[in-house]
Amino acid sequence: MTTHLPPNQSLDTDSSAQESPMPNNVLKNDEPDNQEMIDENTDALDNDDLLEEDSDIDDGDDEVPVAGQAIPVVVDMTHIVTEDQSGLRIDKVASQVFSDFSRVQVQGWITDGSLLYNGSVQRPKVRVKADDVLHLSTTLQQHSEDQPEDIDIDVVYEDDDVLVINKPVGMVVHPGAGNQTGTLVNALLYHYPQQHHLPRAGLVHRIDKDTSGLLLIGKTKPAQMALMEQLKDKSVYRHYQCVVAGDAASLLRHRRIDAPIGRHRTQRTKMTVMTAGREAVTHLLNVTPLNENYCLLDVGLETGRTHQIRVHLSHITYPLVGDRVYGGRRQLRSGLSEAQRQAISNFPRQALHAYTLGFVHPTTGEDVEVTTPLPEDMQQLIAVLSNGYDDEYDK
């Protein structure tokens, strides 16, 4: 189904009336994306989000074991601090020299005593001196309990190093409490069994179960690590489209939403805007009216917090259509026909789609951009909400 939006109604936020100029790196070289950070000073995208790396490295064995087979990997590595590294923090040096692992892993090992400094446990912030000794000894956690399942996946880009998947609505990204099967990881292990040894089968970030759209996956350990670093330094960008309850004029007053987000104090599955939260910035790149009280938004993320788009739009009182957690009755505005009211009330999920993904190829260094159209359910919703608005707009 192809839906034609009302003509001449796309209000670009790059106009001279823009309230705050948006950094160029948000328009394109944008998003850090994940819930867990790989660096203590960097935030990952989790609206979709950076996955904390907590799994084993490639042990160099050319044989590809069967997914599900237990393959313990023992790590025993020693490094002597050089003159050039003298004065740096332990965690900084360790992240440089034990580069097969993420910063989250390294910092955890410093804390739990797996990584010793001159034979003893020290805080990550301690400064090292030349000839000091870092010794890492640990057994890597296995991810082989995730089982392959014959589940269809929509591959929109693939080469020897990188995979981009268009995730459908309703698919959980990786196994967890209550979702041990039927996930994207289970599907990846079936179609790409060689990825059993990668953390989360190579996933670099994730999106909510009921959000559709593009997900980036590394097919090798170096590619996955490089892409995670790109998320951290904002050379990966993702743009989203969503349908919201709000008029264009009001939304254009919120082109840049800067409001810190943290976990709700009493409802622990929810996020909320709070003074003590982590920095969160969302940009409304384009606003397209569907009728007087509903719009299609093109959204870019400058940071990536859990549920960031949903929380920020709800915070400014213009929630996503279908968002039962952050929207509530505010989704229903005045002036709706019965068909429109029913379409909104019955829309089964948040109307949010990750439609553009851009990154620097980890091997070739070339810029890659992948796009995917709006899913059928959002196209139908847009068609119902914009029905008759063409005629009204042309009067």
Side-chain angles (χ1 to χ4, degrees), residues 100-120:
D100 280 332
F101 311 101
S102 74
R103 288 182 177 86
V104 165
Q105 284 177 294
V106 169
Q107 288 172 343
W109 289 329
I110 294 171
T111 301
D112 69 18
S114 298
L115 200 162
L116 298 178
Y117 171 67
N118 291 335
S120 63

Side-chain angles (χ1 to χ4, degrees), residues 280-295:
V281 180
T282 300
H283 296 269
L284 307 190
L285 306 179
N286 204 61
V287 179
T288 303
L290 302 176
N291 59 43
E292 291 181 352
N293 288 306
Y294 290 85
C295 291

Side-chain angles (χ1 to χ4, degrees), residues 19 22 79 144 201 251 298 308 324 330 342:
E19 182 177 282
M22 180 177 181
H79 174 72
S144 56
L251 285 161
D298 186 343
Q308 179 173 319
R324 303 294 186 269
R330 291 180 300 170
Q342 288 299 318

Side-chain angles (χ1 to χ4, degrees), residues 346-372:
N346 296 332
F347 201 74
R349 53 105 172 189
Q350 63 264 12
L352 179 63
H353 177 67
Y355 79 98
T356 296
L357 176 67
F359 58 95
V360 178
H361 195 280
T363 301
T364 68
E366 296 178 351
D367 291 335
V368 179
E369 181 176 279
V370 182
T371 63
T372 185

Side-chain angles (χ1 to χ4, degrees), residues 154-379:
D154 180 9
V155 177
V156 295
Y157 176 90
E158 181 177 8
D159 59 32
D160 291 341
D161 302 287
V162 179
L163 190 65
V164 179
I165 301 291
N166 183 21
K167 187 191 82 69
V169 172
M171 175 181 276
V172 175
V173 172
H174 57 79
N179 294 292
Q180 293 299 324
T181 61
T183 73
L184 179 57
V185 164
N186 298 119
L188 287 171
L189 290 175
Y190 179 87
H191 295 284
Y192 301 90
Q194 70 277 13
Q195 297 194 205
H196 78 283
H197 65 290
L198 297 179
R200 301 298 192 191
L203 281 168
V204 174
H205 60 103
R206 61 187 172 211
I207 56 179
D208 294 339
K209 173 184 176 182
D210 290 329
T211 298
S212 57
L214 299 173
L215 282 167
L216 183 59
I217 297 154
K219 294 177 69 176
T220 66
K221 182 72 173 185
Q224 185 185 25
M225 296 290 285
L227 292 169
M228 290 178 118
E229 286 297 314
Q230 286 187 40
L231 282 175
K232 185 184 66 175
D233 66 21
K234 303 185 181 182
S235 52
V236 169
Y237 62 93
R238 286 182 296 169
H239 289 179
Y240 298 78
Q241 288 180 308
C242 56
V243 179
V244 301
D247 64 282
S250 297
L251 285 161
L252 285 172
R253 290 195 289 269
H254 298 275
R255 298 183 184 99
R256 184 178 189 271
I257 307 171
D258 184 350
I261 291 175
R263 192 163 297 280
H264 197 285
R265 289 185 174 85
T266 58
Q267 301 176 58
R268 303 304 291 170
T269 60
K270 291 181 62 175
M271 309 301 289
T272 188
V273 168
M274 58 169 51
T275 304
R278 301 173 74 186
E279 179 190 14
V281 180
T282 300
H283 296 269
L284 307 190
L285 306 179
N286 204 61
V287 179
T288 303
L290 302 176
N291 59 43
E292 291 181 352
N293 288 306
Y294 290 85
C295 291
L296 174 69
L297 302 186
D298 186 343
V299 178
L301 297 178
E302 187 173 328
T303 59
R305 302 289 170 253
T306 303
H307 301 168
Q308 179 173 319
I309 294 173
R310 299 165 62 191
V311 172
H312 269 173
L313 289 171
S314 176
H315 176 67
I316 63 172
T317 71
Y318 307 115
L320 271 65
V321 168
D323 194 337
R324 303 294 186 269
V325 176
Y326 300 105
R329 295 186 59 82
R330 291 180 300 170
Q331 300 172 59
L332 292 172
R333 302 294 169 110
S334 62
L336 293 170
S337 68
E338 183 57 30
Q340 291 171 333
R341 180 175 292 273
Q342 288 299 318
I344 293 168
S345 297
N346 296 332
F347 201 74
R349 53 105 172 189
Q350 63 264 12
L352 179 63
H353 177 67
Y355 79 98
T356 296
L357 176 67
F359 58 95
V360 178
H361 195 280
T363 301
T364 68
E366 296 178 351
D367 291 335
V368 179
E369 181 176 279
V370 182
T371 63
T372 185
L374 283 168
E376 183 75 12
D377 62 347
M378 285 184 64
Q379 291 192 38

